[in-house]
Amino acid sequence: MPTVILDPPPPEVERLVKRRRRLGQDRYDEVWNGVLHMNPFPSGTHADVMQQLAELLAPLARAAGLFPRLTGVNIGTSDDFRGPDGVLQRERLTGVWHPSAALAVEVISPGDETWEKLPFYAAHNVDEVLIADPDAQKVTWLALTGGEYQTVEHSALIDLGPARLAELIDWPAAA
């Protein structure tokens, strides 16, 4: 359930944000144009699929000269960023805020905002977006063309496409 609290936030909200930060519960939070989006930790299904994606994508990324960061990074700046589940980068970047990625990896969870992130990724020149949907047991692969994402049957970055990747994933049983 989305909740909007206009500034200034009440003390209870400030305490919640500080507690989440102290306990490391803010790891998946994002800031969209200055608006905090508090995201829960992923479900077991989400984590299962992401682990498999990490194992499958990392060797292909390295073979293509890319750097896998399949535990996630922040794309954007401190006041406007999205945290894909993983990325492949063209260079080994350090720091907290990354301007872009060659490929962003998203695993859909119930109620998440994966599809709403696409305009942000396009504005930050993320070349490709891989979206894995555990419920549908489907992979969608998108490539940035003329400022918009179009579905593709094979990545231009690594030697893989959505149909083959979907076959390689041992999809968890639907909940």
Side-chain angles (χ1 to χ4, degrees):
M1 151 186 63
T3 302
V4 176
I5 300 173
L6 300 179
D7 282 333
E12 297 85 359
V13 171
E14 290 180 8
R15 284 194 297 272
L16 172 64
V17 170
K18 287 179 183 175
R19 185 186 76 201
R20 286 173 55 79
R21 186 173 301 127
R22 185 179 69 250
L23 296 174
Q25 296 172 336
D26 63 340
R27 176 177 171 165
Y28 297 97
D29 291 355
E30 299 173 332
V31 175
W32 295 37
N33 297 314
V35 177
L36 176 62
H37 289 232
M38 290 184 180
N39 295 308
F41 275 68
S43 68
T45 296
H46 182 118
D48 184 347
V49 171
M50 191 58 216
Q51 178 64 37
Q52 290 183 65
L53 290 171
E55 293 171 11
L56 293 165
L57 296 175
L60 298 171
R62 288 186 189 97
L66 299 171
F67 294 91
R69 298 285 175 84
L70 295 161
T71 58
V73 300
N74 295 310
I75 295 177
T77 60
S78 63
D79 62 346
D80 191 19
F81 65 92
R82 308 299 179 272
D85 294 306
V87 298
L88 303 182
Q89 296 177 311
R90 295 189 187 284
E91 56 186 303
R92 182 175 276 147
L93 299 175
T94 60
V96 175
W97 315 109
H98 299 245
S100 187
L103 172 75
V105 178
E106 293 279 358
V107 177
I108 293 180
S109 289
D112 81 5
E113 300 172 295
T114 293
W115 295 99
E116 290 82 5
K117 294 180 184 183
L118 294 180
F120 179 88
Y121 290 152
H124 285 76
N125 297 309
V126 175
D127 298 314
E128 296 181 3
V129 179
L130 181 165
I131 301 172
D133 184 342
D135 286 345
Q137 298 187 353
K138 178 182 176 190
V139 174
T140 302
W141 211 301
L142 305 168
L144 188 60
T145 307
E148 295 184 2
Y149 287 105
Q150 306 294 324
T151 57
V152 294
E153 296 305 314
H154 200 277
S155 172
L157 299 167
I158 61 174
D159 189 17
L160 191 62
R164 179 67 181 136
L165 181 56
E167 291 172 358
L168 292 171
I169 296 171
D170 177 17
W171 297 100

